[in-house]
Amino acid sequence: MSKLDSTKRQPVTGTGRFISGVVEGFYGRPWTMEQRTELFKREQKWGLNTYLYAPKDDYKHRMYWRDLYAAEEAEQLTSLISAAKQHDVEFVYAISPGLDITFSNPKEVAALKRKLDQVKEFGCRSFSLLFDDIETEMCPADKQAFSSFAHAQVAITNEVYMHLGEPEVFLFCPTDYCAVFCTPSVTQSSYLNTVGEKLLPGIDVLWTGPKVVSHKISVESIEEVSSVLKRAPVIWDNIHANDYDPQRLFLGPYKDRPTDLIPKLKGVLTNPNCEFYPNFVAVHTLATWCKAPAEGTPRDVEMGDEEQDPCYSPQKALNLALTDWLEEFMSTDQPGGPCHPRLKKESSEEEPMQTDMGESPYIPGPGENPLYTAEPLTLADLKLLSDLFYLPYEHGTTARTMLQELDWLKNQSQAAAAETDKTAEWCSRAQQFDNMCEAVVQMFNRLSNAPNRSILYDLYNYICDIKSGVGLARAYVKTLGGHSQPSAQLLNDDPEPWGFRGGLSGEFQRMLPGHGNRDLFRHPPMTAVYCIRPYCPEDKPEVERIFREMQKAGEGNSALMAQSPLISDSLSAGEISPSPLCGLILEDDLGLCGYALALTDAKPAAAKIQRAVSGSVFEEFPSVIALEMLPRVTDPSPAKRMIGQLLSSIRSSGSRGAFCELRQSNRRMLNFYSKLGSFKLVQMDGLPQDILVMATSL
């Protein structure tokens, strides 16, 4: 049986070794000390070298970061750090003071140093400061002391880093830790540029990629952020994280990250599933990926591997991980645990140990029921399990096939009701679908009888849920084919509770617009139908209503008068009418839900709010645009179409360019204009601090 060889060399990038391993950084119940020690053994065995301690629900890591550890806690952490060292794993202690720290208060900085000094006494030599998932508004005292949030974070991080003696491993997690958080873009983010320029060069920066949970991470995207940060980032990879959805678990391979990334990175840490034992696959395949360039020669890649990476095959890495995991499944996880004397074995002459020597084992008589014999778990079962719980953006092959088959059987159900040229095909495919459902049931049964109960208990809620869902689909197909009476669970108006899934959360989701738009298998499409028409004077009250509603939603906790007016406000409020042919209205089934308006000459609107704008800006971009959509419009396509039509009309009027003003807090519209590609950030003198201008030439 093939194993990962931990003796193979680690990739090296720049100075120092390549950081590779696991971050315990999810929300939810933290892992136990015993589980963490088991993780260290696995990391050493598979060639990974780092563990970042950052459980969000450890009170003294985040919420009560100022509090020192009590004697019992200190003893546990000391033992854990010692265990990591014994297994050649670098223990990185992370602290998250960003919820309530006052950066300008010397007492707060002293409290942070005191806390980290205590952890240093436990034997820890590597540290991390995390400022993720916090409010970006500084308190009044910090606003007086620092020119920006980034300056405040960098100042305290540099000071702590120097206080600790410039540790070889010191990680900083920015508040804008992925591309989608950067305003208006990675390269133009003032926050990220400040971090790159001011953070001491010995401090490494954590980065999750294009998104919080990144589908793919490209070499180009890493080169871009590296140029801003002035250092190669350490990827905090959430591809296997499941703390955002209690119904999902991810057992697919580490993928969609080319091994060409490795020379461009300082390291990769996976932040995996909350459940400890199912992370075997996530950590194992990451280890395979990290070693891929060091193997020496390119490997064969199966057809269908989207990456076409010559050094790494996700499917081969998955098969290797599942083969090793099967061995762990079949081992008893605790002394005195179930030894399954009637578990069928492929080849064994050994009799099970008898614990009660005073009574003979029961032997069924003639005509009596035979003893139940559990089937052993197989590699095929684990491959099916992985397919059913694959990755956030992708179902496994079997899961996709089951969805496709169910969809076809449902849409072609008339072939089962009456004899047609597709009847034979329908019956054949219905039987194939039934066989796949039966395989899921048998997988569930064999998993339930596996000796290692710790793994089973981490999986049980998930496999029970999928077994029930498959059972409902199976009964439905049989009903369509006339092989059984209509399922009571499908047609009864008072079904058993297992006949409907999701509870209150599921009902909320089904009531929301666009439900199903983000399903990995989408058919039929759930996109709403929109109508775009010209603006007319009768639309003025509804346009103003949407404008006020969205303006109120953007106020947050500040008063309306505290917001700086935008040049386009008078256009949206109906105080100035749009230029001829420069107004569009968006409607859905519920009515007016968005608008796009423009003034080919923005000077009157600027004068109305007494905004002084240089003549050169108005000469290059004389027109102003106002675009707004209600939150129920989740599809960006209608807005893109309106902008396209509006810019065409503005161009026809003879205008050279158009601009829009956006508040920095309006991430929705900032993201929209940034992704259009044609709008770029423009500097304007005298612009209020909370306003950005994006413009496009025509």
Side-chain angles (χ1 to χ4, degrees):
M1 185 179 297
S2 59
K3 298 282 184 181
L4 282 180
D5 183 358
S6 64
T7 62
K8 290 187 174 69
R9 63 184 176 87
Q10 284 285 339
V12 177
T13 59
T15 58
R17 67 175 176 175
F18 186 83
I19 295 171
S20 62
V22 177
V23 50
E24 184 183 347
F26 49 80
Y27 292 86
R29 178 185 294 175
W31 295 333
T32 66
M33 294 297 177
E34 293 75 16
Q35 288 171 335
R36 291 164 180 154
T37 302
E38 177 62 29
L39 174 65
F40 301 155
K41 295 177 182 177
R42 293 180 180 181
E43 288 196 83
Q44 182 182 39
K45 181 178 181 181
W46 300 336
L48 300 173
N49 58 39
T50 303
Y51 165 74
L52 176 57
Y53 177 88
K56 293 291 192 291
D57 286 339
D58 175 348
Y59 280 166
K60 294 185 178 179
H61 156 77
R62 185 172 172 88
M63 190 176 297
Y64 301 123
W65 60 269
R66 299 173 185 83
D67 294 359
L68 296 177
Y69 288 106
E72 183 179 352
E73 296 167 325
E75 183 180 352
Q76 287 184 325
L77 272 176
T78 301
S79 298
L80 194 64
I81 294 167
S82 176
K85 289 180 180 177
Q86 289 173 15
H87 295 285
D88 297 323
V89 172
E90 191 68 33
F91 185 100
V92 183
Y93 177 84
I95 192 167
S96 297
L99 287 176
D100 60 358
I101 189 172
T102 299
F103 293 92
S104 56
N105 188 339
K107 292 182 179 179
E108 293 279 77
V109 181
L112 184 57
K113 291 177 180 177
R114 182 170 62 250
K115 178 65 167 288
L116 295 178
D117 282 341
Q118 184 196 30
V119 177
K120 191 174 182 180
E121 290 175 1
F122 302 160
C124 184
R125 61 185 181 185
S126 300
F127 299 90
S128 179
L129 276 183
L130 309 182
F131 294 104
D132 56 320
D133 302 343
I134 59 174
E135 293 296 328
T136 58
E137 185 70 19
M138 287 193 293
C139 65
D142 285 344
K143 285 182 178 179
Q144 291 184 350
F146 300 103
S147 58
S148 74
F149 200 40
H151 283 90
Q153 292 179 1
V154 167
I156 200 170
T157 301
N158 287 343
E159 185 172 344
V160 168
Y161 172 68
M162 296 292 290
H163 172 78
L164 293 171
E166 302 184 24
E168 183 177 345
V169 177
F170 193 93
L171 307 176
F172 167 82
C173 184
T175 304
D176 293 354
Y177 55 78
C178 62
V180 75
F181 285 178
C182 297
T183 303
S185 66
V186 171
T187 55
Q188 294 178 310
S189 164
S190 59
Y191 174 92
L192 223 55
N193 274 284
T194 299
V195 170
E197 292 167 5
K198 303 296 184 181
L199 198 67
L200 290 173
I203 302 173
D204 291 311
V205 179
L206 293 162
W207 182 253
T208 66
K211 299 166 64 177
V212 178
V213 180
S214 295
H215 183 186
K216 300 181 179 182
I217 301 178
S218 67
V219 170
E220 293 75 18
S221 71
I222 293 302
E223 289 176 339
E224 179 184 55
V225 72
S226 297
S227 67
V228 177
L229 295 176
K230 296 177 171 48
R231 71 204 77 198
V234 175
I235 295 296
W236 171 312
D237 208 325
N238 289 317
I239 192 63
H240 286 96
N242 71 336
D243 55 354
Y244 53 86
D245 188 344
Q247 290 185 308
R248 284 193 265 186
L249 184 74
F250 301 116
L251 305 177
Y254 192 73
K255 70 189 296 280
D256 294 315
R257 286 98 172 100
T259 53
D260 289 346
L261 280 173
I262 293 177
K264 308 285 185 180
L265 297 172
K266 184 62 184 291
V268 177
L269 298 171
T270 180
N271 179 38
N273 299 284
C274 299
E275 297 80 4
F276 175 77
Y277 292 102
N279 287 320
F280 193 100
V281 173
V283 181
H284 196 292
T285 56
L286 172 64
T288 303
W289 182 86
C290 288
K291 293 179 186 304
E295 295 287 344
T297 58
R299 301 177 178 182
D300 293 331
V301 179
E302 300 94 333
M303 295 300 292
D305 274 349
E306 293 179 5
E307 300 87 348
Q308 293 298 301
D309 192 323
C311 295
Y312 175 75
S313 163
Q315 197 56 49
K316 285 185 177 179
L318 177 62
N319 290 340
L320 178 64
L322 294 177
T323 300
D324 287 355
W325 200 21
L326 178 62
E327 188 173 292
E328 185 168 299
F329 258 105
M330 301 310 292
S331 64
T332 303
D333 58 336
Q334 52 189 331
C339 58
H340 293 271
R342 296 202 300 275
L343 183 67
K344 284 185 181 177
K345 298 184 179 179
E346 296 299 323
S347 59
S348 176
E349 301 295 330
E350 186 179 341
E351 290 294 327
M353 181 180 68
Q354 300 298 314
T355 56
D356 187 351
M357 301 303 292
E359 185 177 337
S360 301
Y362 173 74
I363 300 175
E368 295 183 345
N369 283 326
L371 291 176
Y372 174 77
T373 303
E375 295 284 344
L377 189 67
T378 67
L379 182 59
D381 289 325
L382 293 188
K383 288 181 178 179
L384 175 57
L385 178 68
S386 174
D387 267 2
L388 299 178
F389 299 95
Y390 203 63
L391 290 170
Y393 298 97
E394 182 181 359
H395 291 309
T397 303
T398 303
R400 289 198 306 270
T401 301
M402 293 183 75
L403 289 168
Q404 290 163 358
E405 289 302 295
L406 178 59
D407 181 63
W408 188 90
L409 291 166
K410 179 181 175 182
N411 292 332
Q412 303 296 328
S413 59
Q414 70 277 6
E419 195 71 28
T420 71
D421 58 346
K422 288 190 175 181
T423 299
E425 182 185 2
W426 194 97
C427 292
S428 174
R429 292 176 72 163
Q431 184 59 53
Q432 292 173 14
F433 180 76
D434 191 76
N435 293 342
M436 287 187 283
C437 293
E438 178 62 20
V440 174
V441 173
Q442 293 305 317
M443 175 205 70
F444 173 87
N445 292 339
R446 287 190 281 264
L447 277 169
S448 298
N449 289 301
N452 194 313
R453 312 308 282 172
S454 295
I455 307 177
L456 171 66
Y457 297 150
D458 271 359
L459 291 171
Y460 191 78
N461 286 343
Y462 299 100
I463 61 176
C464 186
D465 184 63
I466 193 63
K467 174 175 170 279
S468 298
V470 165
L472 290 171
R474 190 182 194 184
Y476 174 65
V477 170
K478 286 186 175 182
T479 301
L480 291 178
H483 299 301
S484 64
Q485 292 297 316
S487 168
Q489 292 302 312
L490 292 170
L491 302 178
N492 192 350
D493 61 1
D494 185 24
E496 293 282 4
W498 56 80
F500 45 92
R501 318 303 296 165
L504 179 61
S505 176
E507 293 194 40
F508 277 133
Q509 291 180 45
R510 287 188 287 275
M511 291 177 68
L512 297 177
H515 173 67
N517 279 1
R518 295 298 177 264
D519 285 352
L520 300 187
F521 178 81
R522 285 183 282 171
H523 187 80
M526 300 292 289
T527 305
V529 176
Y530 297 99
C531 172
I532 298 174
R533 62 170 176 80
Y535 169 89
C536 60
E538 289 77 12
D539 295 320
K540 178 179 173 181
E542 278 298 288
V543 168
E544 183 178 0
R545 179 187 64 80
I546 292 176
F547 166 64
R548 298 298 181 194
E549 184 176 330
M550 298 306 295
Q551 189 180 47
K552 185 177 181 180
E555 288 172 25
N557 298 321
S558 60
L560 178 62
M561 296 304 294
Q563 288 188 335
S564 303
L566 305 180
I567 292 176
S568 60
D569 282 356
S570 57
L571 187 60
S572 299
E575 298 168 3
I576 298 179
S577 298
S579 300
L581 304 179
C582 289
L584 294 169
I585 294 298
L586 182 68
E587 293 179 318
D588 62 9
D589 291 342
L590 300 178
L592 201 150
C593 57
Y595 61 86
L597 310 174
L599 291 171
T600 54
D601 182 3
K603 291 179 182 176
K608 194 172 186 64
I609 62 170
Q610 299 180 341
R611 175 75 58 77
V613 180
S614 66
S616 60
V617 172
F618 274 145
E619 183 176 342
E620 189 173 359
F621 308 106
S623 306
V624 65
I625 290 173
L627 172 72
E628 198 59 86
M629 295 176 294
L630 288 174
R632 71 173 186 255
V633 182
T634 58
D635 185 351
S637 302
K640 291 179 180 178
R641 187 167 182 179
M642 286 197 297
I643 283 292
Q645 292 183 25
L646 200 61
L647 292 178
S648 178
S649 297
I650 295 172
R651 187 186 302 111
S652 298
S653 73
S655 175
R656 297 179 55 187
F659 71 93
C660 63
E661 288 186 331
L662 301 167
R663 292 187 174 87
Q664 292 197 30
S665 59
N666 191 353
R667 289 188 175 272
R668 186 185 186 215
M669 297 311 298
L670 281 167
N671 185 53
F672 170 78
Y673 279 107
S674 298
K675 289 187 175 180
L676 280 178
S678 56
F679 281 78
K680 305 297 181 185
L681 197 65
V682 173
Q683 299 296 326
M684 277 193 181
D685 295 334
L687 202 64
Q689 189 176 2
D690 62 330
I691 293 176
L692 296 173
V693 174
M694 300 192 75
T696 183
S697 299
L698 301 174

